[in-house]
Amino acid sequence: QVQLVESGGGLVQPGGSLRLSCAASGFSFASYGMKWHRQAPGKERELVAGISASGGGTSYADSVKGRFTISRDNAKNTVYLQMNSLKLEDTAVYYCNALRPPGYWGQGTQVTVSS
């Protein structure tokens, strides 16, 4: 069955960095785009970044453009989210999302930005 397992979250100070990973299994990872979303307390889930199946195309929410980088390693069935210059408002649970129909989600990893 399809599984997505996120890791790499934690507590970081403003201005710090974290790298999230999402290990995928149970489907042909290299054939599908992937996305990262996040959900802050009391807010709706929002799209953060997306990457094409080959990795050649990426897109970002305006709020993270220039600070976050999405990438993937199809040999390792893993998608990453490098987060730099973190802000308090980046605090959220981060989820990876596989675009293989009907769409699959990981369990999420908590990112807390706090001084």
Side-chain angles (χ1 to χ4, degrees), residues 1 7-8 14 41 52 61 65 70-71 75 84 96 111:
Q1 71 276 23
S7 61
S52 64
K65 206 171 289 184
I70 188 171
S71 62
N84 299 329
C96 70
V111 171

Side-chain angles (χ1 to χ4, degrees), residues 9-77:
L11 174 64
V12 63
Q13 292 186 338
S17 297
L18 283 175
R19 189 176 83 152
L20 306 183
S21 299
C22 173
S25 61
F27 67 105
S28 180
F29 179 77
S31 296
Y32 297 96
M34 298 290 294
K35 294 183 177 181
W36 284 98
H37 299 250
R38 67 186 180 187
Q39 188 165 19
K43 295 188 176 181
E44 294 195 355
R45 192 171 295 190
E46 64 170 342
L47 175 63
V48 174
I51 189 166
S52 64
S54 67
T58 58
S59 61
Y60 299 92
D62 287 344
S63 58
V64 307
K65 206 171 289 184
R67 300 188 297 121
F68 290 12
T69 302
I70 188 171
S71 62
R72 66 190 295 160
D73 185 337
N74 285 347
K76 295 183 178 179
N77 287 0

Side-chain angles (χ1 to χ4, degrees), residues 72-92:
R72 66 190 295 160
D73 185 337
N74 285 347
K76 295 183 178 179
N77 287 0
T78 301
V79 62
Y80 304 98
L81 186 68
Q82 178 66 45
M83 305 186 296
N84 299 329
S85 302
L86 282 160
K87 303 177 180 180
L88 297 175
E89 54 264 39
D90 294 319
T91 295

